[in-house]
């Protein structure tokens, strides 16, 4: 497993990050989650991402349990705060009250004294940015958080936070941006990535497989394979339904020979492509079976040729979305992407 700097910070994270959105606490029980995490550890994955809102805290609990017994200093654990975790008026957002209470709850569930990376899961229009930044800075000063990041913020929002942190003289600042990013969804390229490169923020790219569609297992005109995310219960089909249109699936099938020519599986091709893009520090993958973890982890350290990168663009370009206005609007996909 290769490791990279998280932006220009001193923190090194694994090129592949294991995440547990829509898996731990929803489609997986403790035994299945532990099997995948043990496989991730065996593959050299040291970075693990979760959030307080995933399965309403159950995902953090399962992750903390599965990592029990692993030397804490050998891991980089990331979690998030902002999205609703209850019905109360202060059970959401980036107020000082919610940040402090959510952080303490996450630490209890994760069975740790600190998290390596604490991320603002979305931007909060209702809370003064100054209040949010000072609360985050206090957590860093208390040693409960080592580094700070954001997720799905626009370039103006990130820029405003960085400028205000400098104006306030805060010791801590954001070092990462967790954003949806794949061969198909490139909305961060025009504005977010250039700003982050100038300011030293690394990209934590989630959904590099576009909910599994870029693995090629979904075929146009056919029912989703048994055991796949699209055939599962819970919330997963709602999200993957965005990318099951026949036109999109046909183009993904055209990628299969490109992957084969590079000696890779389609999933490895998609992850390696993401890791090769400017500003990306890590690709965040999810899994429900250990073999998926092993396959995805093997994409670390792969260098794609210019010919392969060009072939990907030629096949997918008509359907690639680069609209920066869609940052943080993951459901706003092109009609050709979705199943009619």
């Amino acid at each position: 497993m290769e490791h990279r700097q998280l932006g220009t910070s001193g923190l090194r994270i694994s090129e592949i990050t294991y995440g547990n959105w829509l898996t731990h606490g929803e489609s997986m029980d403790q035994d299945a989650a532990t099997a995948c995490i043990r496989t991730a550890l065996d593959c050299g994955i040291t970075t693990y991402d979760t959030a307080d809102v995933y399965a309403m805290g159950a995902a953090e609990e399962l992750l903390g349990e599965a990592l029990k017994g692993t030397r804490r200093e050998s891991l980089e654990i990331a979690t998030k705060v902002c999205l609703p975790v209850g019905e109360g008026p202060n059970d959401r957002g980036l107020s000082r009250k919610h940040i402090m209470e959510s952080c303490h709850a996450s630490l209890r569930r994760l069975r740790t004294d600190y998290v390596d990376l604490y991320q603002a899961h979305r931007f909060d229009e209702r809370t003064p940015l100054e209040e949010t930044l000072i609360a985050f800075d206090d957590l860093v000063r208390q040693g409960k958080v080592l580094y700070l990041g954001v997720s799905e913020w626009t370039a103006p929002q990130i820029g405003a936070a960085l400028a205000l942190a400098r104006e306030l003289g805060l010791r801590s600042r954001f070092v990462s941006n967790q954003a949806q990013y794949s061969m198909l969804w490139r909305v961060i390229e025009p504005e977010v990535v250039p700003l982050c490169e100038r300011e030293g923020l690394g990209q934590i790219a989630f959904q590099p497989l576009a909910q599994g569609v870029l693995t090629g297992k979904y075929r146009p005109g056919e029912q989703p394979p048994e055991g796949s995310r699209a055939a599962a219960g819970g919330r997963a089909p709602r999200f993957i339904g965005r990318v099951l249109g026949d036109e999109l699936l046909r183009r993904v099938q055209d990628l299969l020979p490109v992957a084969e020519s590079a000696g890779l599986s389609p999933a490895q091709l998609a992850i390696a492509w993401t890791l090769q893009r400017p500003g990306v520090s890590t690709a965040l993958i999810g899994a429900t079976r250990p073999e998926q973890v092993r396959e995805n982890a093997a994409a670390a350290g792969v260098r794609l040729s210019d010919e392969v990168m060009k072939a990907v663009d030629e096949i997918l370009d008509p359907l690639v979305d680069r609209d920066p206005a869609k940052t943080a609007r993951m459901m706003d996909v092109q009609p050709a992407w979705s199943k009619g």
Side-chain angles (χ1 to χ4, degrees):
M1 177 58 58
E2 302 286 337
H3 285 71
R4 297 182 178 186
Q5 301 294 127
L6 182 55
T8 55
S9 77
L11 181 64
R12 293 183 63 80
I13 60 176
S14 50
E15 282 193 345
I16 306 297
T17 291
Y18 181 92
N20 65 4
W21 178 53
L22 297 180
T23 52
H24 295 188
E26 293 197 36
S27 62
M28 300 171 68
D29 59 20
Q30 184 67 60
D31 289 343
T34 299
C36 284
I37 288 174
R38 290 299 167 187
T39 300
L41 291 167
D42 290 343
C43 291
I45 296 174
T46 61
T47 311
Y48 295 82
D49 178 83
T50 186
D52 57 357
V53 73
Y54 295 169
M56 292 293 104
E60 288 183 325
E61 290 180 353
L62 264 67
L63 181 62
E65 176 66 23
L67 290 173
K68 187 172 61 176
T70 304
R71 189 172 72 92
R72 178 63 182 89
E73 294 79 5
S74 69
L75 304 171
E76 305 86 45
I77 298 176
T79 191
K80 311 180 195 74
V81 58
C82 185
L83 298 181
V85 292
E87 298 299 324
N90 291 302
D91 289 335
R92 66 195 68 201
L94 295 175
S95 68
R96 180 179 185 84
K97 175 177 172 63
H98 185 55
I99 287 173
M100 293 297 181
E101 293 175 348
S102 184
C103 181
H104 294 155
S106 290
L107 294 177
R108 288 194 299 269
R109 289 190 290 262
L110 289 165
R111 304 185 180 200
T112 183
D113 296 327
Y114 67 94
V115 290
D116 298 272
L117 179 65
Y118 202 36
Q119 302 158 100
H121 210 159
R122 293 294 186 273
F123 189 82
D124 182 2
E125 299 280 358
R126 299 183 302 175
T127 299
L129 187 54
E130 178 176 350
E131 177 180 338
T132 296
L133 297 180
I134 292 175
F136 277 137
D137 191 61
D138 285 345
L139 287 173
V140 174
R141 289 170 182 263
Q142 294 167 12
K144 295 171 183 174
V145 170
L146 302 187
Y147 296 88
L148 299 170
V150 301
S151 179
E152 293 284 80
W153 283 30
T154 66
Q157 291 165 350
I158 295 171
L162 295 172
L164 183 55
R166 285 191 287 264
E167 179 183 330
L168 295 172
L170 301 180
R171 293 184 181 180
S172 59
R173 67 191 297 274
F174 295 131
V175 301
S176 65
N177 173 53
Q178 186 173 139
Q180 182 183 183
Y181 190 39
S182 70
M183 293 174 172
L184 290 164
W185 187 262
R186 308 187 197 179
V187 302
I188 63 172
E189 289 182 347
E191 297 178 1
V192 171
V193 170
L195 170 68
C196 288
E197 287 196 290
R198 290 195 304 271
E199 295 285 354
L201 281 71
Q203 302 300 317
I204 299 174
F206 74 86
Q207 292 191 33
L209 299 179
Q211 291 281 296
V213 166
L214 291 173
T215 66
K217 63 185 174 184
Y218 300 102
R219 299 179 179 275
E222 298 182 11
Q223 290 297 311
E226 186 176 348
S228 67
R229 182 170 294 187
R235 297 182 301 150
R238 170 174 171 257
F239 289 101
I240 197 171
R242 300 171 301 141
V243 284
L244 290 179
D246 282 348
E247 183 179 352
L248 177 58
L249 297 183
R250 280 192 291 271
R251 289 189 178 273
V252 171
Q253 291 299 306
D254 291 339
L255 287 175
L256 305 191
V258 178
E260 185 177 5
S261 70
L264 303 169
S265 71
Q268 291 165 349
L269 173 67
I271 294 169
W273 181 93
T274 303
L275 288 171
Q276 202 157 314
R277 302 300 296 169
V280 173
S281 295
T282 185
L284 200 161
I285 60 103
T288 55
R289 301 188 303 276
E291 56 267 28
Q292 293 174 326
V293 178
R294 285 189 288 268
E295 178 185 358
N296 293 341
V302 171
R303 185 71 186 176
L304 301 177
S305 68
D306 291 342
E307 290 75 18
V308 168
M309 297 293 281
K310 181 179 179 182
V312 169
D313 283 343
E314 289 176 345
I315 291 169
L316 296 180
D317 193 63
L319 295 183
V320 170
D321 205 324
R322 299 182 177 87
D323 183 359
K326 293 184 178 181
T327 303
R329 288 161 47 190
M330 67 164 60
M331 305 303 288
D332 190 8
V333 300
Q334 300 178 23
W337 285 29
S338 301
K339 189 173 183 179

